[in-house]
mmCIF file of all heavy atoms in Angstrom:
data_model
loop_
_atom_site.group_PDB
_atom_site.id
_atom_site.type_symbol
_atom_site.label_atom_id
_atom_site.label_comp_id
_atom_site.label_asym_id
_atom_site.label_seq_id
_atom_site.Cartn_x
_atom_site.Cartn_y
_atom_site.Cartn_z
ATOM 1 N N GLU M 40 -73.766 -21.247 -31.436
ATOM 2 C CA GLU M 40 -72.343 -20.930 -31.568
ATOM 3 C C GLU M 40 -71.827 -20.028 -30.449
ATOM 4 O O GLU M 40 -70.627 -19.861 -30.294
ATOM 5 C CB GLU M 40 -72.070 -20.282 -32.935
ATOM 6 C CG GLU M 40 -72.365 -18.785 -33.045
ATOM 7 C CD GLU M 40 -73.846 -18.430 -33.154
ATOM 8 O OE1 GLU M 40 -74.682 -19.335 -33.100
ATOM 9 O OE2 GLU M 40 -74.159 -17.228 -33.270
ATOM 10 N N LYS M 63 -92.416 -24.642 -32.880
ATOM 11 C CA LYS M 63 -91.673 -25.686 -33.574
ATOM 12 C C LYS M 63 -90.241 -25.192 -33.764
ATOM 13 O O LYS M 63 -90.004 -24.227 -34.480
ATOM 14 C CB LYS M 63 -92.297 -25.983 -34.943
ATOM 15 C CG LYS M 63 -93.782 -26.316 -34.903
ATOM 16 C CD LYS M 63 -94.051 -27.631 -34.220
ATOM 17 C CE LYS M 63 -95.521 -28.004 -34.314
ATOM 18 N NZ LYS M 63 -95.832 -29.259 -33.597
ATOM 19 N N LEU M 103 -88.347 -17.531 -48.996
ATOM 20 C CA LEU M 103 -89.235 -16.507 -48.453
ATOM 21 C C LEU M 103 -90.425 -16.281 -49.381
ATOM 22 O O LEU M 103 -91.541 -16.008 -48.920
ATOM 23 C CB LEU M 103 -88.471 -15.200 -48.232
ATOM 24 C CG LEU M 103 -87.425 -15.208 -47.112
ATOM 25 C CD1 LEU M 103 -86.720 -13.857 -47.021
ATOM 26 C CD2 LEU M 103 -88.054 -15.562 -45.765
ATOM 27 N N LYS M 124 -88.216 -6.399 -49.289
ATOM 28 C CA LYS M 124 -88.854 -6.243 -47.983
ATOM 29 C C LYS M 124 -90.263 -6.832 -47.933
ATOM 30 O O LYS M 124 -90.757 -7.138 -46.845
ATOM 31 C CB LYS M 124 -88.893 -4.755 -47.587
ATOM 32 C CG LYS M 124 -87.519 -4.163 -47.311
ATOM 33 C CD LYS M 124 -87.640 -2.778 -46.726
ATOM 34 C CE LYS M 124 -86.307 -2.073 -46.565
ATOM 35 N NZ LYS M 124 -85.239 -2.858 -46.014
ATOM 36 N N LEU M 135 -77.138 -2.780 -35.768
ATOM 37 C CA LEU M 135 -75.822 -3.422 -35.732
ATOM 38 C C LEU M 135 -74.690 -2.457 -36.070
ATOM 39 O O LEU M 135 -73.597 -2.543 -35.499
ATOM 40 C CB LEU M 135 -75.811 -4.609 -36.694
ATOM 41 C CG LEU M 135 -76.798 -5.741 -36.379
ATOM 42 C CD1 LEU M 135 -76.893 -6.701 -37.551
ATOM 43 C CD2 LEU M 135 -76.391 -6.473 -35.119
ATOM 44 N N ILE M 258 -68.473 -12.125 -20.107
ATOM 45 C CA ILE M 258 -67.668 -10.928 -20.357
ATOM 46 C C ILE M 258 -67.679 -10.012 -19.136
ATOM 47 O O ILE M 258 -66.722 -9.275 -18.881
ATOM 48 C CB ILE M 258 -68.129 -10.174 -21.620
ATOM 49 C CG1 ILE M 258 -66.983 -9.314 -22.185
ATOM 50 C CG2 ILE M 258 -69.351 -9.313 -21.346
ATOM 51 C CD1 ILE M 258 -65.834 -10.105 -22.750
ATOM 52 N N TYR M 316 -73.353 -9.546 -13.884
ATOM 53 C CA TYR M 316 -73.163 -10.980 -14.113
ATOM 54 C C TYR M 316 -74.222 -11.782 -13.347
ATOM 55 O O TYR M 316 -74.836 -12.707 -13.896
ATOM 56 C CB TYR M 316 -71.769 -11.420 -13.680
ATOM 57 C CG TYR M 316 -71.611 -12.924 -13.622
ATOM 58 C CD1 TYR M 316 -71.451 -13.668 -14.784
ATOM 59 C CD2 TYR M 316 -71.650 -13.603 -12.401
ATOM 60 C CE1 TYR M 316 -71.336 -15.045 -14.739
ATOM 61 C CE2 TYR M 316 -71.536 -14.980 -12.355
ATOM 62 C CZ TYR M 316 -71.377 -15.697 -13.523
ATOM 63 O OH TYR M 316 -71.274 -17.059 -13.465
#
Side-chain angles (χ1 to χ4, degrees):
E40 82 284 3
K63 306 292 186 183
L103 291 179
K124 292 189 186 316
L135 298 168
I258 203 68
Y316 168 77

